[in-house]
Amino acid sequence: MVLAAGLIRVTSSPVVQIAADGIWETALVVPRRHPRADAVHEVARRARESVAVEVLWPGQAFVGVRWPVREAGEAVHALGRLGSGPGSVAADLAALLGAQARAETAFVEVGAVNAWRSTGSQVIWRRERPVTAPQAVHRLSARPDLLLCAHPVAAEFAATRPRPHWVGVTVSTPEGARHRLDADALAALLTAVLEI
C-alpha cells in the first residue's frame, strides 16, 4: 500500500466524503478545510455496519478507510488528523489510518468512482491467487459497463490491516459523456504497484 500511495501524484483539490456501509452513491461531502464530527455522526446514524471516510481528488485518485459503526469515533479522530492543505495521497492515507500504511495489497478491484455498488466492481487480482498484469486486465473483458462507463473508472488497491483501507487510481479517460477504461494505463499501474 505504501508503494501504491507513493506512486500517485495529484494536482486537483481534494474533497472529503463519508459513506455509510460503502454506499458512495449517497456519500456526504465535507469541505476538506472544515471536516466536522457531526458529519461522521450523521452518516453513522444511517449506517448498519460501517462508516468510511475517503479523500478524493476528482478524476485522479482517492484513499479511504473503513470502521465498524461502533468505532465511528475513530473516524472523527481520523478527520481531525487531516491537514487543511492540499495533502498528498500517502500523507492523507496515513492521517486516516493514524499510522503509515504498511500492509500488503490483499486484492485489486476495478469499479466506477462513487458508483461502486450500483455499477458493481470486478476483482482482478488477489494476493493468494496472483496473476500477471495482462491476465488481470483481461478479467475486465466480460464487463462492458466498466470498459465504457458513465463514471470515471478506477483501480482500487485494498488492504485489511490494521483496518480496511484502500488507494484508488483513475484508469479511464473521458470520451464524450462517458469514460473509457485505459487498459494500458491499468496494466502499467498493476505492474508498478504489485511488481508483477
Side-chain angles (χ1 to χ4, degrees):
M1 293 303 288
V2 175
L3 181 59
L7 286 175
I8 303 164
R9 302 289 175 249
V10 289
T11 57
S12 62
S13 296
V15 295
V16 175
Q17 52 185 14
I18 307 165
D21 302 318
I23 305 171
W24 295 102
E25 291 83 343
T26 59
L28 178 63
V29 176
V30 181
R32 182 183 172 95
R33 290 181 177 9
H34 305 287
R36 301 179 304 254
D38 57 335
V40 172
H41 295 302
E42 177 184 332
V43 171
R45 279 192 294 276
R46 64 178 193 250
R48 287 180 294 168
E49 297 176 11
S50 66
V51 173
V53 175
E54 275 187 349
V55 179
L56 169 74
W57 292 266
Q60 297 181 333
F62 54 88
V63 295
V65 176
R66 183 174 59 245
W67 296 265
V69 172
R70 69 182 180 283
E71 295 178 20
E74 292 300 315
V76 172
H77 295 304
L79 281 172
R81 289 189 296 265
L82 285 174
S84 61
S88 73
V89 174
D92 285 347
L93 180 58
L96 290 176
L97 278 171
Q100 290 295 324
R102 300 205 186 281
E104 292 183 354
T105 300
F107 62 92
V108 179
E109 61 184 338
V110 174
V113 176
N114 283 345
W116 219 256
R117 288 258 176 112
S118 56
T119 301
S121 61
Q122 176 71 45
V123 174
I124 61 170
W125 184 91
R126 290 189 183 278
R127 174 146 308 282
E128 67 271 9
R129 290 190 317 257
V131 295
T132 66
Q135 290 169 325
V137 173
H138 180 71
R139 290 183 172 173
L140 291 168
S141 61
R143 293 294 307 271
D145 57 333
L146 290 174
L147 298 176
L148 187 61
C149 187
H151 302 272
V153 177
E156 185 178 279
F157 298 80
T160 57
R161 291 176 282 128
R163 65 180 61 257
H165 61 282
W166 52 91
V167 175
V169 181
T170 300
V171 291
S172 63
T173 56
E175 186 175 287
R178 296 185 167 261
H179 302 267
R180 183 168 298 282
L181 177 78
D182 184 335
D184 292 337
L186 176 57
L189 180 65
L190 291 168
T191 301
V193 173
L194 301 173
E195 300 176 344
I196 56 175

